[in-house]
Amino acid sequence: MRVAVAGTSHGHAAFIFGRPSKGDLEIVGIYEPDTAVAKLRMRQFKLPAELFYTDLDKMLDATKPTAVLAFGSTFEHRKVVEAAAPRHMHIMVEKPLATTLEDARYMHMLAKKNKVYLLTDYETSWYPSVAKTFELIEDSSFTGQPRKIFVNDGHKGPKEIGCGPEFLDWLTDPVLNGGGALMDFGCYGANLMTRLAHNRLPISVTAVTRQFKPDVYPKVDDDATILLDYGDMQCTINASWNWTFNRKDMEIYGDKAYIKALDKNTLVRKSGERSAAEIQRITDQDIAVYEDPFSYMIDVIKGKQTIQPEDLYATDNNVIVVAILQAARESAKTGKTVYMSAIK
């Protein structure tokens, strides 16, 4: 499949440029308006200069890819969809879908109008432990009715872990990223919870953000706690650039049992007061899951994989994610709970 890359400033660009060849993808063009960043990527990944363009429209017209992969700022996702969708090119963006609900809805409309897929990629969508968690809840009712959910995501901070300046420049910008840790890592919890709630909006969103390191991140939050209330369930999302270790984990407490997806391959489950917790290693041999998002994208485009509105990559799910994040920003700013019925 012929694919083009739109923007390379995202640190996750290594996902595609460093992907081992499987004989299923050909990168036919790369749009990068910053020539310094383009030269950096050429050196890092040994990419030929003739692949690079500084004009997105010219690149798409010259290369005619089947799909476009966006690895620029979140703010630029709308521009990519505006260029690719009318050309009937499918799009995959890095999480989250957009910085504002207005942009997310517009992008969704363009994708539907032009009958193209618009997918949003999250690392946790690749996790066998996450896929197994949903199977246990929905297929075997292992937990019973989920009541309290905790999703914890983040690391020591993008600067602290060595993100490059081309990434930091927009990741720490309140417009280009839409916020700080709230957007960068709050989106994971919103995405997973939206899947668990089958695309049902929460009743309300309450959020608190902090700048524990204003000298490092003066423009955006570096810590966020978001509470989603569904009436019959509550989800607490802990998103931070202040964890002492890298983490992407989820805990689900039901009225019968408990599940924790500790990392990509580790699942902990416990049922009953006296039962011992069971720790399992889960791989793609135990549950059907795509551990490579680009293989998933190819199969969706080719019709080998059917995507449902509530799926983790789906646009319907991810428009709700952006609505939740926007409500969380508003709640943190005003100090008040935001009721989703008021979101227009």
Side-chain angles (χ1 to χ4, degrees):
M1 182 171 288
R2 295 167 60 83
V3 300
V5 177
T8 70
S9 60
H10 201 302
H12 292 177
F15 291 168
I16 187 63
F17 294 137
R19 180 180 187 259
S21 176
K22 299 180 181 181
D24 56 356
L25 284 180
E26 179 189 5
I27 298 175
V28 296
I30 301 169
Y31 162 67
E32 178 48 69
D34 189 321
T35 55
V37 175
K39 289 177 181 177
L40 173 65
R41 298 299 183 234
M42 289 179 208
R43 290 195 306 272
Q44 282 180 322
F45 301 104
K46 297 180 173 58
L47 298 166
E50 55 266 26
L51 278 180
F52 285 81
Y53 294 76
T54 55
D55 185 293
L56 178 58
D57 292 306
K58 287 182 179 178
M59 186 267 283
L60 295 178
D61 288 338
T63 61
K64 295 179 173 55
T66 299
V68 181
L69 312 174
F71 286 101
S73 75
T74 307
F75 181 78
E76 293 170 325
H77 289 174
R78 175 169 172 161
K79 175 182 176 180
V80 174
V81 175
E82 286 176 327
R87 289 176 168 87
H88 304 289
M89 298 167 183
H90 306 284
I91 307 110
M92 175 178 275
V93 303
E94 282 300 296
K95 57 80 190 169
L97 173 62
T99 59
T100 68
L101 183 56
E102 178 186 358
D103 280 1
R105 286 172 170 167
Y106 181 69
M107 292 156 64
H108 192 194
M109 180 276 295
L110 278 179
K112 288 201 297 184
K113 178 181 177 181
N114 292 284
K115 298 180 180 179
V116 297
Y117 291 107
L118 172 57
L119 308 177
T120 304
D121 177 40
Y122 296 79
E123 182 183 337
T124 43
S125 301
W126 322 339
Y127 285 10
S129 63
V130 168
K132 187 65 176 179
T133 295
F134 287 126
E135 181 189 71
L136 285 168
I137 292 170
E138 296 172 351
D139 293 350
S140 68
S141 300
F142 174 76
T143 61
Q145 169 63 46
R147 293 300 186 197
K148 296 185 77 67
I149 298 92
F150 299 88
V151 188
N152 309 301
D153 291 286
H155 46 47
K156 293 181 179 180
K159 186 172 183 179
E160 289 83 349
I161 67 169
C163 290
E166 74 284 354
F167 190 14
L168 284 172
D169 282 348
W170 68 259
L171 188 62
T172 60
D173 185 284
V175 174
L176 299 181
N177 189 43
L182 183 150
M183 293 294 289
D184 189 28
F185 285 114
C187 61
Y188 285 98
N191 176 241
L192 293 165
M193 191 59 204
T194 299
R195 168 68 181 84
L196 183 64
H198 301 289
N199 283 12
R200 177 160 53 110
L201 281 170
I203 295 169
S204 65
V205 178
T206 309
V208 176
T209 57
R210 290 289 182 264
Q211 280 184 304
F212 290 127
K213 296 180 282 194
D215 53 327
V216 182
Y217 306 110
K219 298 179 182 179
V220 294
D221 63 275
D222 54 57
D223 194 90
T225 304
I226 306 168
L227 177 64
L228 310 181
D229 182 18
Y230 290 82
D232 57 346
M233 299 184 289
Q234 282 191 343
C235 176
T236 303
I237 300 170
N238 296 304
S240 183
W241 290 344
N242 291 286
W243 295 112
T244 54
F245 56 92
N246 296 352
R247 68 185 305 178
K248 289 184 177 74
D249 56 87
M250 171 173 60
E251 300 173 67
I252 299 176
Y253 296 85
D255 54 17
K256 292 181 181 178
Y258 153 97
I259 301 174
K260 181 170 184 177
L262 186 61
D263 54 36
K264 180 180 179 181
N265 298 114
T266 307
L267 195 75
V268 180
R269 51 179 169 170
K270 175 179 169 61
S271 60
E273 183 75 24
R274 298 181 181 180
S275 67
E278 179 185 354
I279 303 174
Q280 291 180 291
R281 177 171 173 78
I282 308 295
T283 72
D284 62 353
Q285 301 301 304
D286 304 300
I287 182 93
V289 62
Y290 286 84
E291 293 191 279
D292 172 23
F294 309 112
S295 296
Y296 175 81
M297 177 191 72
I298 291 168
D299 281 0
V300 167
I301 292 171
K302 289 186 174 182
K304 295 180 180 179
Q305 178 68 33
T306 301
I307 187 167
Q308 300 298 329
E310 64 192 39
D311 287 349
L312 296 171
Y313 291 90
T315 315
D316 294 81
N317 175 308
N318 282 286
V319 170
I320 294 172
V321 169
V322 178
I324 289 170
L325 295 175
Q326 185 163 298
R329 287 200 306 257
E330 180 66 19
S331 175
K333 180 181 177 180
T334 63
K336 298 179 180 179
T337 294
V338 173
Y339 291 89
M340 298 302 284
S341 59
I343 298 294
K344 304 298 182 183

